[in-house]
Amino acid sequence: MIYGLIGEHLGHSFSAEIHARLGEEPYELRELAPEEVPEFLRKGDFRGINVTIPYKQTVIPFLDEISDTARAIGAVNTIVRRGGKLYGDNTDATGLAMLLRKIGADPRGKKVLIPGTGGTSLTAVYTVKKLGASQTVRVSRSGRDGAVTYTCAAEEHGDAQILINTTPCGMYPHADECPVDLKLFPELEAAADAVYNPLRTNLVLEARKRGIPAEGGLYMLTAQAVRAAELFRDKVYPAETAETIYRELLREKENMVLIGMPGSGKSTLAAALRQRTGRPCADTDKLIERKAGKTIPEIFREDGEERFRAIESEVIAEVSARGGQIIATGGGAVLREENVTALRRNGRLILLERTAESLTPTADRPLADTREKMDRLWREREPVYRAAADFTVRPEGTPEEAAREIESRWQL
């Protein structure tokens, strides 16, 4: 190994993709069991490594020297071999500081609430104190080791102004979870989440819905990786490097989610987008039929619309957990808020805007098989589509032209 990452479970790590943009040397992911860590460090067959959960504190006794930052935090996430000795540092602090700056969160004189008690929470406490926070409150279920319980946090620290989640709550595959109820913290000015899979946790989505600037952990991950690469190679990257890589990764990882009326051309446009981008394509109506073992008209006729919507929500939850796809949804997919939330975690929603007159009723669409039904459906759903959409396209030309427009706007 020249450069790489060690941790216990690394299946969903983006680190190799980030470091591939920072240097030509290979960057490997190495999963280690706890008993393997000492021998790996003693052997020291690397130039530089990053360290992730659960070994940020485990590695410290095996290092020859650690930075003042890592010592103050009590956690190491970057190790560099220098002259045969191992030097430990903590670049998570840099990443978090840059994340807070990105969302406009200034901790000076503020109370900061920090769910979590692991290594990342220690980094958060150190970082916001360095940035001038007046008070830091760590939160855990047990309330041990200097933390308060979640009940206590709500009752005594509802005036917190900045929230930094350092727990795995909301991380895939438990994306439906949220560490706190934001209604209990009405003074919040900003929220940051160290979780980056999904790209936007429920915490981030709920904060944004309330008008609170919020961001997930991908930017923090990218910024700390840039700083780690500087330590690995003893060089300084341009100031815009982290932002550039972050935007590239976000565009690649986000799903292109097509929403709109039945018959608006979502499946056709998805195929055109697949041709242009090479992304895999998922059609939720087809997945529903496969899951149910029957056609959509048969589901409506034999089981009713409510059963169809339940299967649809299951399919959307499954398919939206993966990134980098094109997802063509059914006409009623965004009627349930839980579906919109699931789709937004890893995607941007694109409305295919059509006039009612341009839509053709068909027999295979139980809710839009007559002109009267189609017109009524359009009137009912158009406001819902607009509320859910991140941006809108009017596919008046060919599918290829609409696909080209989406791809162009996707780069912004």
Side-chain angles (χ1 to χ4, degrees):
M1 176 187 286
I2 300 175
Y3 301 116
L5 171 69
I6 65 169
E8 193 167 28
H9 303 292
L10 305 177
H12 299 283
S13 173
F14 296 166
S15 293
E17 296 171 72
I18 297 171
H19 282 272
R21 291 168 164 84
L22 292 167
E24 296 180 357
E25 303 94 340
Y27 184 95
E28 302 176 34
L29 304 182
R30 184 75 60 86
E31 291 187 349
L32 299 176
E35 63 273 14
E36 294 176 304
V37 174
E39 179 60 24
F40 176 84
L41 293 173
R42 278 194 289 266
K43 188 175 179 182
D45 189 20
F46 56 82
R47 293 183 198 167
I49 58 169
N50 291 123
V51 182
T52 191
I53 297 171
Y55 301 135
K56 293 183 181 183
Q57 293 162 299
T58 304
V59 299
I60 292 177
F62 303 95
L63 305 180
D64 298 293
E65 184 181 353
I66 65 173
S67 69
D68 292 340
T69 298
R71 183 176 292 106
I73 294 172
V76 165
N77 83 318
T78 301
I79 300 174
V80 181
R81 174 169 288 283
R82 294 177 178 170
K85 294 186 177 181
L86 298 182
Y87 170 83
D89 209 331
N90 190 306
T91 64
D92 282 337
T94 297
L96 179 56
M98 291 180 67
L99 172 58
L100 292 174
R101 185 160 59 246
K102 180 176 178 61
I103 61 176
D106 184 356
R108 282 180 296 181
K110 307 286 178 62
K111 178 185 285 190
V112 182
L113 197 70
I114 305 172
T117 56
T120 307
S121 77
L122 299 175
T123 300
V125 170
Y126 169 86
T127 303
V128 297
K129 282 185 176 179
K130 289 282 286 187
L131 294 174
S134 61
Q135 186 177 358
T136 60
V137 182
R138 296 166 75 206
V139 189
S140 72
R141 287 190 294 268
S142 67
R144 295 193 296 266
D145 300 323
V148 303
T149 64
Y150 284 91
T151 299
C152 178
E155 293 176 348
E156 300 180 15
H157 301 286
D159 58 345
Q161 294 145 299
I162 296 175
L163 173 67
I164 303 172
N165 177 46
T166 69
T167 74
C169 188
M171 182 186 296
Y172 176 84
H174 305 293
D176 283 329
E177 299 177 355
C178 189
V180 297
D181 183 349
L182 294 186
K183 294 194 300 291
L184 303 176
F185 303 93
E187 305 300 318
L188 279 183
E189 301 172 3
D193 199 326
V195 172
Y196 61 85
N197 183 15
L199 298 170
R200 289 170 284 271
T201 60
N202 280 6
L203 174 67
V204 170
L205 293 174
E206 181 61 26
R208 290 180 178 181
K209 190 186 302 183
R210 294 173 176 275
I212 301 168
E215 190 70 56
L218 182 59
Y219 190 84
M220 176 182 171
L221 177 72
T222 304
Q224 70 80 23
V226 172
R227 178 58 189 141
E230 290 180 333
L231 293 173
F232 290 166
R233 299 180 175 90
D234 193 22
K235 64 180 290 186
V236 177
Y237 289 90
E240 68 275 11
T241 300
E243 180 70 22
T244 300
I245 294 176
Y246 165 75
R247 288 184 177 276
E248 289 175 357
L249 277 174
L250 193 60
R251 285 195 296 266
E252 291 177 11
K253 299 294 183 184
E254 279 186 309
N255 291 319
M256 295 176 166
V257 183
L258 305 180
I259 65 172
M261 282 287 290
S264 60
K266 297 184 293 293
S267 296
T268 302
L269 181 51
L273 277 168
R274 181 177 55 193
Q275 283 292 109
R276 288 192 62 84
T277 66
R279 288 171 175 245
C281 186
D283 187 309
T284 61
D285 279 351
K286 291 179 181 177
L287 293 172
I288 289 168
E289 291 184 334
R290 187 182 306 165
K291 191 179 188 74
K294 58 182 76 173
T295 67
I296 289 175
E298 287 172 338
I299 299 172
F300 269 79
R301 186 171 59 251
E302 298 171 14
D303 307 312
E305 182 179 359
E306 190 61 28
R307 176 56 185 158
F308 170 79
R309 296 299 174 201
I311 300 173
E312 182 177 53
S313 292
E314 292 173 9
V315 165
I316 286 174
E318 292 166 4
V319 73
S320 62
R322 301 186 295 273
Q325 309 167 96
I326 301 157
I327 302 177
T329 64
V334 298
L335 298 179
R336 286 190 173 188
E337 187 62 29
E338 67 191 83
N339 295 345
V340 175
T341 297
L343 291 165
R344 278 185 173 152
R345 288 188 195 119
N346 282 318
R348 271 186 276 170
L349 277 60
I350 307 161
L351 169 61
L352 276 61
E353 186 178 45
R354 297 277 196 181
T355 62
E357 295 76 20
S358 68
L359 300 168
T360 302
T362 58
D364 62 341
R365 296 185 174 102
L367 300 180
D369 55 3
T370 67
R371 180 80 262 165
E372 182 182 3
K373 285 184 179 180
M374 181 69 84
D375 290 347
R376 183 173 65 250
L377 209 62
W378 185 89
R379 289 192 299 271
E380 292 171 351
R381 291 184 179 179
E382 188 68 7
V384 181
Y385 293 140
R386 290 188 178 279
D390 291 294
F391 66 89
T392 298
V393 296
R394 296 179 177 86
E396 296 169 347
T398 66
E400 290 71 24
E401 289 172 333
R404 188 160 54 247
E405 179 186 350
I406 290 173
E407 190 178 21
S408 174
R409 295 179 68 177
W410 199 257
Q411 304 306 314
L412 300 179

